[in-house]
Amino acid sequence: MAVSTRSTRIERVPSAELRLAEDNAALLHAMGIVAVHLIASPGAGKTSLIARTASKLSSRLRPGVIQASLTPEVGSNPLSDLDCPIVQVDTGGRPYLDATMVREALAQLPLADVDLLLIEEVGTLTSPVGCLLGENLRVVVASLPEGDDAAMRYPDPFAHAHAVILNKMDLLSHLRFDRNLFQKAVHRVNPGVPIFEVSCLSGEGLDAWGVWLLNQLEKV
Amino acid sequence: MAVSTRSTRIERVPSAELRLAEDNAALLHAMGIVAVHLIASPGAGKTSLIARTASKLSSRLRPGVIQASLTPEVGSNPLSDLDCPIVQVDTGGRPYLDATMVREALAQLPLADVDLLLIEEVGTLTSPVGCLLGENLRVVVASLPEGDDAAMRYPDPFAHAHAVILNKMDLLSHLRFDRNLFQKAVHRVNPGVPIFEVSCLSGEGLDAWGVWLLNQLEKV
């Protein structure tokens, strides 16, 4: 018994937004900045991954962060110990960043002092993927507790990712999680996309992710 | 450094949707059905909770399920073993159910054979809370791996819940999770709302949740 509903898919990218995203991309390119857009469910570990990545790569390049939140009322922020420029964007309840918000955030950042811009999206896998920000790379951060079928249930963000992080590998022995199934489901919607199994708690797997990211920066 | 963005909050409830939600509520009331709307992040355990709840209460009442998914391509469904009517709604990529979809789903259900209708939302904490379906109760299913500050970062669904489930308690010893902090953060946005600490894996805490739910059904 399936109910076939009307197609109510949100329209992908309004042209004004697309133009703003292109402006952002041009500005970032002109300033020699590579921007990585991190997309994940709530609690998957985006913030920890940003903290780990920025700290790991800070001897090689100069990171900067744009961090979105639904509300100004956030708790402790793992990024506050980072020695890099951070702009927090309160989306005012809107469930995802848009190019306008990123444009305003870019105006607050010391762009000449940044090589790698990590953009933390609001925590959701259901935002329209077409909502481009002007980023160079999109990375989905999944985590073991979300289940090995995440890419089956939420295919869009996985289908449009340049890389997938599978975080919280430290929990592997405590969960029913089939790594092969996860990988197959991801590659079904995005064949060949690199998947990095990591733990932001133990640090496991973060070297490979860092190497890949540095390689990508050279290509951009 | 905070960027104050324009207020772009999605409008809460268009009046046509509200009218449809009221129609759904009237239909459910006329049929003696109590509807519970389950809201959660991807992987928090909504489906497992529904399976456990329906099976636990099936000697006392007759459950039915409406299950939303973003895509028809789902993996194994823990609900398929349940001996109760289930309607699956493919939202066609839309990140939440609306009253129209629920209305169509209700038309597919044998309403005379249902006392308790469990409605599984698409997995997200960022949908507009004002998107009412005609339900009697809203329940947020959080889970330990999402962090003890979930209600601080995603206050809206918690603020509008009649109950909060904290699932995956079996992982407590493997995570950094402060139960007091979680409770404080929830009660800050929704004072006094009942919080049930459960594990859908071990069954821990599900009795108290079942008793509360049965009590609510008597009140409606």
Side-chain angles (χ1 to χ4, degrees):
Chain A
M1 287 199 295
V3 175
S4 168
T5 60
R6 304 157 309 157
S7 173
T8 49
R9 187 178 286 269
I10 291 166
E11 195 186 347
R12 286 286 158 126
V13 185
S15 59
E17 274 298 312
L18 186 56
R19 186 167 302 176
L20 280 175
E22 285 168 356
D23 285 352
N24 288 345
L27 174 61
L28 290 165
H29 182 73
M31 299 301 293
I33 299 171
V34 173
V36 181
H37 184 190
L38 295 148
I39 297 155
S41 290
K46 290 182 303 300
T47 316
S48 301
L49 182 75
I50 287 174
R52 283 279 199 171
T53 304
S55 142
K56 179 177 282 291
L57 301 182
S58 61
S59 63
R60 305 283 298 272
L61 43 72
R62 298 165 303 165
V65 179
I66 295 175
Q67 184 181 37
S69 67
L70 282 175
T71 157
E73 188 170 354
V74 288
S76 65
N77 190 341
L79 300 186
S80 52
D81 293 336
L82 277 184
D83 184 25
C84 75
I86 299 173
V87 174
Q88 293 184 305
V89 179
D90 169 10
T91 67
R94 192 173 179 190
Y96 46 89
L97 286 169
D98 62 22
T100 309
M101 295 179 196
V102 169
R103 179 195 174 100
E104 291 182 35
L106 288 175
Q108 307 282 326
L109 275 172
L111 296 180
D113 301 331
V114 173
D115 305 309
L116 171 66
L117 178 62
L118 300 163
I119 305 176
E120 178 176 351
E121 185 55 272
V122 174
T124 178
L125 293 180
T126 61
S127 290
V129 176
C131 197
L132 301 174
L133 309 177
E135 72 273 51
N136 302 89
L137 299 168
R138 272 184 303 280
V139 174
V140 170
V141 186
S143 68
L144 264 68
E146 294 164 53
D148 44 29
D149 59 350
M152 276 187 264
R153 293 183 292 124
Y154 301 90
D156 268 17
F158 289 93
H160 295 81
H162 297 88
V164 171
I165 304 276
L166 178 57
N167 190 22
K168 305 195 187 181
M169 286 300 288
D170 50 284
L171 293 175
L172 185 61
S173 60
H174 307 300
L175 297 168
R176 293 177 191 160
F177 188 95
D178 183 336
R179 292 152 83 178
N180 283 332
L181 188 66
F182 178 82
Q183 191 175 322
K184 272 188 193 165
V186 170
H187 285 158
R188 195 163 166 195
V189 295
N190 191 344
V193 68
I195 300 174
F196 298 98
E197 297 184 341
V198 313
S199 165
C200 289
L201 198 62
S202 72
E204 171 192 349
L206 290 169
D207 284 343
W209 152 247
V211 168
W212 180 85
L213 192 52
L214 286 174
N215 280 337
Q216 297 305 307
L217 301 195
E218 283 168 18
K219 288 184 197 167
V220 170
Chain B
M1 287 197 298
V3 175
S4 167
T5 60
R6 304 158 307 159
S7 175
T8 48
R9 188 178 285 269
I10 292 166
E11 194 186 348
R12 287 283 158 127
V13 185
S15 59
E17 273 298 312
L18 186 56
R19 188 167 300 177
L20 280 175
E22 285 168 355
D23 284 353
N24 289 345
L27 174 60
L28 290 164
H29 182 74
M31 299 300 294
I33 299 171
V34 173
V36 181
H37 184 189
L38 294 148
I39 297 154
S41 288
K46 290 182 303 301
T47 317
S48 301
L49 182 75
I50 287 175
R52 283 279 197 168
T53 305
S55 138
K56 181 177 280 290
L57 301 183
S58 61
S59 63
R60 306 281 299 273
L61 42 72
R62 298 165 303 165
V65 179
I66 295 176
Q67 184 181 35
S69 67
L70 282 175
T71 157
E73 187 170 354
V74 289
S76 65
N77 190 340
L79 301 186
S80 53
D81 293 336
L82 277 185
D83 183 24
C84 75
I86 299 173
V87 174
Q88 292 184 306
V89 179
D90 170 10
T91 66
R94 193 173 178 188
Y96 46 88
L97 287 169
D98 63 22
T100 309
M101 296 179 195
V102 169
R103 180 194 173 102
E104 290 181 37
L106 288 175
Q108 307 282 325
L109 275 171
L111 296 180
D113 302 331
V114 172
D115 305 308
L116 171 67
L117 178 62
L118 299 163
I119 305 176
E120 178 175 351
E121 186 55 272
V122 174
T124 178
L125 293 181
T126 62
S127 290
V129 176
C131 198
L132 301 173
L133 309 177
E135 73 273 51
N136 301 89
L137 299 168
R138 272 183 304 281
V139 175
V140 170
V141 186
S143 69
L144 263 68
E146 294 163 53
D148 44 29
D149 59 349
M152 276 187 263
R153 292 184 292 123
Y154 301 90
D156 268 18
F158 289 93
H160 294 80
H162 297 88
V164 172
I165 304 276
L166 178 58
N167 191 20
K168 306 196 186 180
M169 287 300 288
D170 51 284
L171 293 175
L172 185 60
S173 60
H174 308 300
L175 297 168
R176 293 178 191 159
F177 189 95
D178 182 335
R179 292 151 85 178
N180 283 332
L181 188 66
F182 178 82
Q183 191 174 324
K184 272 187 194 165
V186 170
H187 285 157
R188 196 163 165 196
V189 295
N190 191 343
V193 66
I195 300 173
F196 298 98
E197 298 184 341
V198 313
S199 164
C200 289
L201 198 62
S202 72
E204 172 192 350
L206 290 169
D207 283 344
W209 153 247
V211 167
W212 180 85
L213 193 51
L214 287 173
N215 280 338
Q216 297 305 307
L217 301 195
E218 285 168 18
K219 288 184 198 166
V220 169

